[in-house]
Amino acid sequence: MSAKGVVVVGTDTDAGKTIVSAALVAGLRDAGLKEPLHALNPVCLRAPLSPLVAAREEGVELSLAASAVACREFLAGQDFGVIEGVGGLLVPIAPGHTFRELAVELGLPVVVAARPGLGTINHTLLTLEALKAAGLPVVGFVFSHTQPADPGDPSVKENHALIVEYGGTPFLGAMPYLGPRDELTGEALGDAVREHLDLSPLLKIAR
């Protein structure tokens, strides 16, 4: 499998897509992001809602075709790019279209970001099934601790193994909680990636 990039999708809102995307970028390149904001995020919506709802509130027209063009233009200028999804895989991003259809348009392999705790088995397996039903190749899944670990949740220890068993998808590791996102440093992120993630499947794609 060879591609110009990878798509990161989440099992839900706040499943850790941004941290996982940043971790993949940190692990795949040494330099920081140099691209202008409009290239990284061509449509910026204020409300923390699904893209289609937020766009309707702000009078913005969204288009699957335009989103796909923006992503392709970004990827054309990169050796390898990371496209971060919005919400979950089936979140509406334009009239009549969900993020899954954008992923299909791009045709890139996918990394799934998921919560590590109770409930993640069902959410992650449903996401994996939806990806496979669309014919999208899945590189693996990553757990992201978006909150401090809950010592009272005994499921965390076994969840990844059950998802591998039932979903037939590799586990790439778990990002630990690194503090609030606005206080996160590149150094801390890079150290966590080296210690906790297996990026070898992505490196094979990027070469």
Side-chain angles (χ1 to χ4, degrees), residues 156-180:
V156 174
K157 184 170 65 173
E158 301 295 338
N159 283 341
H160 71 280
L162 285 169
I163 293 169
V164 171
E165 179 181 350
Y166 283 85
T169 300
F171 178 54
L172 305 182
M175 287 294 293
Y177 179 65
L178 300 173

Side-chain angles (χ1 to χ4, degrees), residues 122-174:
N122 182 61
H123 291 162
T124 306
L125 291 178
L126 284 173
T127 300
L128 292 174
E129 283 196 9
L131 288 166
K132 292 173 183 178
L136 288 164
V138 181
V139 180
F141 68 98
V142 176
F143 280 164
S144 181
H145 290 264
T146 58
Q147 300 292 330
D150 178 5
D153 185 352
S155 73
V156 174
K157 184 170 65 173
E158 301 295 338
N159 283 341
H160 71 280
L162 285 169
I163 293 169
V164 171
E165 179 181 350
Y166 283 85
T169 300
F171 178 54
L172 305 182

Side-chain angles (χ1 to χ4, degrees), residues 34-105:
K34 300 175 182 177
E35 294 80 7
L37 181 60
H38 68 81
L40 297 174
N41 188 19
V43 179
C44 186
L45 301 169
R46 292 185 293 273
L49 302 167
S50 69
L52 184 57
V53 174
R56 285 173 173 170
E57 285 195 356
E58 297 178 30
V60 175
E61 290 189 13
L62 297 180
S63 159
L64 176 66
S67 296
V69 167
C71 289
R72 291 192 185 103
E73 287 179 349
F74 168 75
L75 292 169
Q78 313 297 320
D79 292 328
F80 191 84
V82 176
I83 304 293
E84 180 186 348
V86 289
L89 181 64
L90 299 183
V91 166
I93 62 165
H97 300 289
T98 67
F99 185 80
R100 179 170 64 171
E101 289 161 279
L102 177 58
V104 170
E105 283 284 322

